[in-house]
């Protein structure tokens, strides 16, 4: 019995060390990138004639809604430090820099009657600097920072947003489309609508469950589609670029894979989360997922809303107009959740009605050995990335996928070996999916540098570069992960044995920074040590049996 157990353990350890020491290569044309977003890094919140965004408004008027009561007024000061940013992008050996344009920096009130020359110049300079070094700009037209004036009209819940977004998009496509060849219209629609309108996690922080999030999603999908049709009709041929959308998603792992109810809960949650925005655009027939339409219609009726579902309906013409409006499938994904069905008569603490009650599952991240991170919601489950990619491949008929965000947070430090492990593990899972036929063409790590992390303020760090938020220049220093990621991009391969120590530049920088920035455990090394130790222990035990 013991001998058998030890044999298994030896095999496991051998398997682990062979996996961890091997070098695995990506396809030769694989695209590597790094990402950021305007509100999180730019600062200059009222520089020149920039208008107020919903994030300026929220953080200034309701600082209590932000964990550390901070704001993005200055943050990493990329409005002034953009040359250094481009230098960092070059140091990483990536071919692509993904960043976003701030709508109120370009159109201070959201409308075309006031166009900011300073805002245009800022982005134009950034794009030129990237091109000078052969780095491809990948530009997000909207990454959450809506002009506050438009929020006063109801933001994404008002259909008026559709022509306004189209005007703004036309302007930036005209201004930058000669130099920018990859566009995404909107970043993370689920977060915009569910976290902005249903619950109070993101600006505009409505906390109005069950109704406006669905109006937001409805208008957002139409606005996205209009911009893509405009690009295809007026710009694409002449400018030769591509356009798509980036949806956010997490893998929804059934709590118990042998329980059909949990499997169904997993599938339903995938449809409600990813499918809400992906099904209308990427599925064969378009429209919202069937399960979403039926459940919300049934629940609306039970709740006394009558025959009109809280989920708005598309006309047949709208379904056709939205379907197919993305040249690639952009996904942001960080973690997984465990799901099981919600008891039919139990709201699981969710208000009725609400989006979460409509989904009808209980979300959890406990009871599995997924390592934690600097964010409460983010547990490390690389296998979840594999399942997610396979699910998208099956569900949407093998689309071309670009992972537009993936990364992990911690609470600070230059010796960020946990982040190194995360990248190696998640990229291995991506490679497993590619080897199993999933069409993943690129990977953009999140994030270039420590940033203003929305509701979490400055507590959670996602950067490959550390930013000293106390220094006037917002000094940037590469973390260990920056050197490892640069090596991955340069060699087009994951090399588990590449785990550099802090170099002279990093040690000098660390000496100037608070203590949190220095030592951290090297967790992969810890794992192989504990593997060896437990093996020795078991051998000893076995001798006594
Ligand atoms: C909605 O209600 C109908 C009629 O009661 C039922 O047949 C159907 O299964 C329900 N659909 C969902 C997804 O709950
Ligand atoms: C559901 O809960 C409500 C309130 O607690 C209760 O009145 C009702 O009888 C329950 N229904 C079922 C089917 O258990």
């Amino acid at each position: 019995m013991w001998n058998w157990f030890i044999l298994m353990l030896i095999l496991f350890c051998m398997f682990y060390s062979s996996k961890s020491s091997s070098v695995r290569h990506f396809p030769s044309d694989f695209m590597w990138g790094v990402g950021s977003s305007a509100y999180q890094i730019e600062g200059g919140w009222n520089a020149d004639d920039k208008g107020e965004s919903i994030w300026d408004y929220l953080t200034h008027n309701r600082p209590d809604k932000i964990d550390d009561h901070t704001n993005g007024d200055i943050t990493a000061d990329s409005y002034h430090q953009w040359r250094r940013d481009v230098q960092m992008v070059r140091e990483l050996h990536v071919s692509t820099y993904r960043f976003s344009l701030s709508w109120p920096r370009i159109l201070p009130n959201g409308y075309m009657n006031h166009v900011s020359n300073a805002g245009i110049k800022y982005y134009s300079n950034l794009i030129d600097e990237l091109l000078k070094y052969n780095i491809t700009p990948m530009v997000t037209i909207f990454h959450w920072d809506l002009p506050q004036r438009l929020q006063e009209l109801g933001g994404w819940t008002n259909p008026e947003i559709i022509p306004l977004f189209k005007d703004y998009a036309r302007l930036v496509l005209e201004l930058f489309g000669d130099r920018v060849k990859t566009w995404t219209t909107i970043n993370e629609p689920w977060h915009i609508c569910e976290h902005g309108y249903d619950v109070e996690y993101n600006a505009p922080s409505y906390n109005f469950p069950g109704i406006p999030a669905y109006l937001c999603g409805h208008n957002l999908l139409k606005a996205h589609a209009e911009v893509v049709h405009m690009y295809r009709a007026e710009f694409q041929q002449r400018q030769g670029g591509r356009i798509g959308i980036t949806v956010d998603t997490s893998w929804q792992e059934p709590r118990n894979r042998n329980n059909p109810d949990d499997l169904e809960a997993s599938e339903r949650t995938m449809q409600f989360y990813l499918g809400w925005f992906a099904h209308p655009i990427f599925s064969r027939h378009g429209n919202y997922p069937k399960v979403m339409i039926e459940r919300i219609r049934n629940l609306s009726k039970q709740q006394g809303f009558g025959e009109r579902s809280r989920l708005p309906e598309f006309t047949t013409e709208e379904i056709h107009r939205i379907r197919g409006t993305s040249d690639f499938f952009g996904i942001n994904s960080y973690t997984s959740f465990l799901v099981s069905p919600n008891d039919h008569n139990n709201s699981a603490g969710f208000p009725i009605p609400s989006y979460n009650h409509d989904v009808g599952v209980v979300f959890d991240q406990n009871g599995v050995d997924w390592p934690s991170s600097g964010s409460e919601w983010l547990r490390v489950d690389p296998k979840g990335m594999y399942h997610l990619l396979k699910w998208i491949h099956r569900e949407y008929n093998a689309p071309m996928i670009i992972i537009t965000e993936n990364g992990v947070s911690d609470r600070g430090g230059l010796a960020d070996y946990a982040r190194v492990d995360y990248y190696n593990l998640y990229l291995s899972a991506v490679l497993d999916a590619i080897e199993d036929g999933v069409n993943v063409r690129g990977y953009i790590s999140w994030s270039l540098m420590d940033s203003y992390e929305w509701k979490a303020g400055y507590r959670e760090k996602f950067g490959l570069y550390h930013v000293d938020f106390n220094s006037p220049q917002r000094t940037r220093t590469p973390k260990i992960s920056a050197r490892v990621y640069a090596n991955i991009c340069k060699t087009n391969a994951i090399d588990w044995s590449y785990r550099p120590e802090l170099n002279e530049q990093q040690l000098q920088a660390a000496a100037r920074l608070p203590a949190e920035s220095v030592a951290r455990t090297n967790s992969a090394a810890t794992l192989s040590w504990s593997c060896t130790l437990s093996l020795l222990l078991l051998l000893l035990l076995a001798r006594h049996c």
Side-chain angles (χ1 to χ4, degrees):
M1 171 67 195
W2 274 112
N3 289 344
W4 181 83
F5 189 67
I6 287 166
L7 184 69
M8 292 308 290
L9 203 69
I10 291 171
L11 284 175
F12 170 78
C13 283
M14 279 171 61
F15 176 74
Y16 179 78
S17 53
S18 77
K19 271 239 156 181
S20 58
S21 62
S22 67
V23 176
R24 295 184 73 192
H25 287 270
F26 278 79
S28 58
D29 58 350
F30 197 75
M31 178 193 91
W32 296 101
V34 67
S36 70
S37 90
Y39 184 70
Q40 291 180 275
I41 63 164
E42 284 177 4
W45 82 274
N46 61 356
D48 301 305
D49 51 349
K50 178 179 170 290
E52 189 182 34
S53 78
I54 56 174
W55 277 91
D56 296 320
Y57 183 85
L58 179 76
T59 56
H60 294 161
N61 293 285
R62 292 297 305 275
D64 56 296
K65 294 210 177 193
I66 307 300
D67 293 351
D68 60 1
H69 296 200
T70 57
N71 56 53
D73 287 3
I74 304 174
T75 177
D77 196 29
S78 288
Y79 191 60
H80 301 105
Q81 308 298 333
W82 54 275
R83 282 181 202 277
R84 171 66 179 132
D85 293 350
V86 175
Q87 196 185 1
M88 285 144 51
V89 172
R90 291 170 60 203
E91 287 166 9
L92 290 172
H93 292 278
V94 294
S95 64
T96 298
Y97 180 42
R98 173 177 181 259
F99 62 93
S100 77
L101 307 175
S102 161
W103 188 342
R105 193 179 293 292
I106 293 173
L107 299 176
N109 301 313
Y111 283 89
M112 287 296 292
N113 66 334
H114 180 177
V115 180
S116 167
N117 287 324
I120 292 170
K121 187 154 168 276
Y122 171 68
Y123 294 114
S124 192
N125 285 341
L126 174 61
I127 292 165
D128 285 344
E129 184 80 355
L130 289 164
L131 292 176
K132 190 159 109 191
Y133 299 107
N134 272 328
I135 295 157
T136 305
M138 177 172 185
V139 177
T140 308
I141 298 174
F142 181 75
H143 196 128
W144 303 6
D145 45 355
L146 194 73
Q148 173 61 22
R149 294 308 271 171
L150 302 187
Q151 196 61 57
E152 287 157 19
L153 299 176
W156 290 99
T157 66
N158 185 343
E160 188 64 13
I161 198 77
I162 301 163
L164 289 174
F165 183 62
K166 197 173 162 185
D167 284 348
Y168 160 55
R170 178 183 281 111
L171 177 68
V172 301
L173 293 170
E174 265 165 11
L175 287 167
F176 308 126
D178 56 337
R179 290 166 286 166
V180 173
K181 304 300 173 196
T182 306
W183 294 95
T184 47
T185 53
I186 295 170
N187 178 73
E188 298 194 359
W190 184 90
H191 258 83
I192 293 168
C193 298
E194 208 284 322
H195 271 179
Y197 294 83
D198 215 71
V199 299
E200 55 176 340
Y201 203 84
N202 278 7
S205 197
Y206 269 29
N207 197 15
F208 179 172
I211 296 170
Y214 297 128
L215 302 178
C216 166
H218 210 64
N219 294 322
L220 186 152
L221 281 160
K222 290 188 199 176
H224 155 80
E226 287 313 309
V227 168
V228 172
H229 283 292
M230 172 177 66
Y231 183 70
R232 287 177 178 169
E234 300 173 29
F235 298 95
Q236 196 159 34
Q237 200 157 27
R238 163 157 63 91
Q239 297 179 340
R242 55 184 177 167
I243 194 164
I245 192 167
T246 274
V247 290
D248 50 321
T249 185
S250 302
W251 172 244
Q252 311 293 335
E253 175 69 22
R255 173 163 276 292
N256 174 357
R257 280 185 174 253
N258 297 318
N259 181 340
D261 291 341
D262 290 358
L263 292 172
E264 193 189 320
S266 162
E267 178 62 23
R268 186 164 72 236
T269 316
M270 291 303 293
Q271 295 294 356
F272 262 83
Y273 189 166
L274 177 55
W276 181 1
F277 297 96
H279 201 276
I281 297 172
F282 297 100
S283 71
R284 186 194 298 251
H285 299 293
N287 203 359
Y288 295 118
K290 188 161 169 277
V291 65
M292 208 175 157
I293 296 173
E294 280 191 10
R295 272 184 80 88
I296 301 173
R297 188 197 289 138
N298 286 4
L299 286 166
S300 297
K301 207 170 185 176
Q302 282 171 30
Q303 291 155 356
F305 287 90
E307 291 305 316
R308 221 153 63 91
S309 174
R310 285 178 285 104
L311 180 69
E313 277 178 36
F314 287 122
T315 63
T316 308
E317 196 186 325
E318 285 166 346
I319 291 171
H320 290 309
R321 187 125 179 107
I322 294 168
R323 202 174 59 80
T325 53
S326 195
D327 296 335
F328 52 86
F329 200 116
I331 57 162
N332 294 353
S333 191
Y334 292 86
T335 192
S336 304
F337 289 89
L338 279 181
V339 290
S340 51
N342 188 359
D343 180 308
H344 290 304
N345 199 31
N346 169 10
S347 73
F350 299 126
I352 301 175
S354 66
Y355 165 83
N356 280 314
H357 180 258
D358 290 339
V359 184
V361 306
V362 182
F363 301 89
D364 191 11
Q365 287 183 318
N366 297 315
V368 274
D369 56 353
W370 299 342
S372 58
S373 71
S375 309
E376 208 182 328
W377 55 270
L378 202 172
R379 296 279 191 131
V380 182
D381 174 37
K383 195 78 192 162
M385 175 61 92
Y386 176 83
H387 292 313
L388 172 69
L389 291 169
K390 291 282 282 188
W391 192 90
I392 293 171
H393 185 76
R394 247 194 344 264
E395 184 72 15
Y396 305 113
N397 194 26
M400 188 232 274
I401 301 172
I402 300 174
I403 297 169
T404 40
E405 284 181 24
N406 175 244
V408 72
S409 60
D410 59 23
R411 294 299 174 105
L414 296 178
D416 58 338
Y417 291 102
R419 180 168 291 107
V420 170
D421 291 339
Y422 181 97
Y423 280 124
N424 284 336
L425 288 164
Y426 270 74
L427 283 168
S428 296
V430 172
L431 207 39
D432 290 342
I434 292 173
E435 287 170 4
D436 288 351
V438 181
N439 189 12
V440 186
R441 293 295 186 83
Y443 178 93
I444 299 175
S445 92
W446 186 271
S447 173
L448 177 58
M449 66 191 118
D450 293 341
S451 321
Y452 182 69
E453 203 46 50
W454 312 107
K455 189 178 169 37
Y458 293 102
R459 284 189 184 156
E460 299 174 11
K461 318 283 190 184
F462 279 86
L464 293 164
Y465 280 74
H466 174 277
V467 175
D468 180 359
F469 290 102
N470 295 312
S471 76
Q473 309 299 317
R474 298 298 192 270
T475 308
R476 287 108 155 98
T477 309
K479 302 179 188 177
I480 293 289
S481 61
R483 292 167 58 202
V484 171
Y485 190 59
N487 190 59
I488 290 171
C489 300
K490 194 170 148 185
T491 60
N492 201 33
I494 312 162
D495 176 0
W496 282 88
S497 67
Y498 183 62
R499 301 179 74 77
E501 303 282 323
L502 290 174
N503 63 20
E504 202 50 42
Q505 180 208 2
Q506 290 169 316
L507 286 169
Q508 277 174 17
R512 290 191 303 269
L513 298 170
E516 50 93 12
S517 305
V518 198
R520 275 293 171 100
T521 51
N522 190 321
S523 55
T526 316
L527 187 54
S528 25
W529 265 111
S530 48
C531 212
T532 316
L533 273 177
S534 47
L535 196 65
L536 281 172
L537 201 67
L538 277 162
L539 276 168
L540 277 173
L541 272 172
R543 297 217 145 193
H544 290 280
C545 294

